[in-house]
Amino acid sequence: MIVRVSARLPRRAEKKITAALFAAGALSVERSLAVSGSPLSALADESRRDAVLDVLSPYDPSCEPVEERDWQNEWISSFEGGEIAPGVTVIPSGGRTAPEGISIVIDPRDAFGAGTHPTTRLCARLLLDAVSRFSPRSFLDIGTGTGILAILASKLGVKRVEGYDIDGAAVVRAQENIRANGCLDVKLYEASIHASAEQFGLVCANVNSAVIERYFEGIIVRVVPPGALSFSGIGSEWRRDLERLFAMHNLSVVSSLEEDGWLGYLLRR
């Protein structure tokens, strides 16, 4: 059984608490940026309920069961795709290819990144920008999800493309998407950022900002100087903290984007 644990807590505590919730076994953590004062909610398996509740105990949390159904995939029946960046269109499996530009076929089951979330769109736009500016020969997608960004990099002509994700089900689905798009040279792995020391001309991490901070040094060393990085998954309230972190590591901001309270950055090492 899946449970939802929710609590209202100050924004200044959110990064620390989010990291602690994932460490306690939460499946997902979210909070609406559009609604002021909205609670932070974590989904967790029943076996991790007490650990998640313990993290939120100072904030008087509530806990409720989630209806027994495929909560992760239930929205897919209404997935219609759409444009995620100028000239780049995502279409569902079996859908009609766009007459112009780049079409990406995505089956979003079991993975994040169908283009419906602002952070995916931000990363797609930053990827277009990075390829145009720097013509990278290699690309690493950290937290690849559906593989959508790896597929886009391949279709943009990047020669060597790899993606990592710690979720095995996501990797299986992403590999199916890779085949559906004919991007057979893309390599995907069920692995963490520390699985390899190989470097790339462009590295993308569309993950929670707490994860970015926790593994920041492990991410930037994967970029061969003077390569580039793109980050998203960053709430606008964390702008100062992340930009301070960039400056501390001598990373220059090439461009930044914002959509619906989410930030995306293109950085140069």
Side-chain angles (χ1 to χ4, degrees):
M1 182 176 70
I2 302 297
V3 297
R4 178 182 290 108
V5 181
S6 303
R8 298 183 185 278
L9 60 149
R11 289 283 186 187
R12 64 180 180 274
E14 185 169 337
K15 284 187 294 183
K16 181 179 179 180
I17 294 298
T18 296
L21 287 168
F22 279 119
L27 298 169
S28 69
V29 180
E30 62 180 14
R31 176 187 230 169
S32 172
L33 294 173
V35 181
S36 177
S38 62
L40 189 78
S41 295
L43 292 176
D45 186 83
E46 172 70 21
S47 64
R48 307 305 302 167
R49 179 188 63 180
D50 291 345
V52 170
L53 278 169
D54 186 59
V55 172
L56 290 173
S57 60
Y59 305 101
D60 190 25
S62 63
C63 182
E64 60 181 359
V66 176
E67 184 178 346
E68 287 291 345
R69 57 186 176 186
D70 190 355
W71 55 270
Q72 187 178 26
N73 292 324
E74 62 184 2
W75 60 276
I76 291 174
S77 60
S78 62
F79 174 62
E80 297 179 351
E83 188 175 73
I84 61 169
V88 181
T89 303
V90 172
I91 59 174
S93 301
R96 181 177 298 178
T97 302
E100 297 180 354
I102 295 173
S103 293
I104 301 176
V105 179
I106 290 294
D107 180 345
R109 288 177 294 166
D110 306 316
F112 174 82
T116 58
H117 196 274
T119 61
T120 306
R121 295 193 292 272
L122 291 173
C123 283
R125 289 157 61 190
L126 291 170
L127 179 52
L128 289 178
D129 189 9
V131 170
S132 175
R133 289 176 186 265
F134 308 125
S135 301
R137 296 173 60 88
S138 55
F139 174 74
L140 174 62
D141 185 15
I142 298 172
T144 194
T146 60
I148 187 171
L149 297 174
I151 293 167
L152 177 56
S154 178
K155 293 196 172 193
L156 288 171
V158 181
K159 299 300 182 183
R160 175 180 163 225
V161 179
E162 296 185 13
Y164 290 0
D165 204 299
I166 60 173
D167 184 340
V171 172
V172 170
R173 188 67 60 197
Q175 288 170 332
E176 293 175 357
N177 290 330
I178 293 296
R179 290 191 290 271
N181 285 274
C183 300
L184 302 183
D185 291 337
V186 174
K187 298 179 180 179
L188 302 179
Y189 304 94
E190 180 183 352
S192 72
I193 185 59
H194 302 297
S196 171
E198 293 185 65
Q199 292 185 306
F200 296 78
L202 175 62
V203 173
C204 174
N206 181 19
V207 293
N208 183 280
S209 62
V211 176
I212 292 174
E213 286 193 320
R214 182 175 181 181
Y215 297 104
F216 193 76
E217 293 187 1
I219 294 172
I220 63 174
V221 298
R222 305 303 299 278
V223 182
V224 56
L229 304 95
S230 65
F231 287 110
S232 194
I234 303 165
S236 59
E237 70 272 20
W238 298 332
R239 184 193 306 268
R240 289 185 179 179
D241 291 347
L242 269 297
E243 291 184 356
R244 187 181 303 117
L245 187 63
F246 301 156
M248 286 173 55
H249 289 83
N250 299 315
L251 295 169
S252 58
V253 177
V254 176
S255 63
S256 61
L257 301 171
E258 183 170 357
E259 181 180 344
D260 294 341
W262 295 97
L263 301 173
Y265 288 93
L266 178 60
L267 308 165
R268 188 73 162 162
R269 186 179 181 197

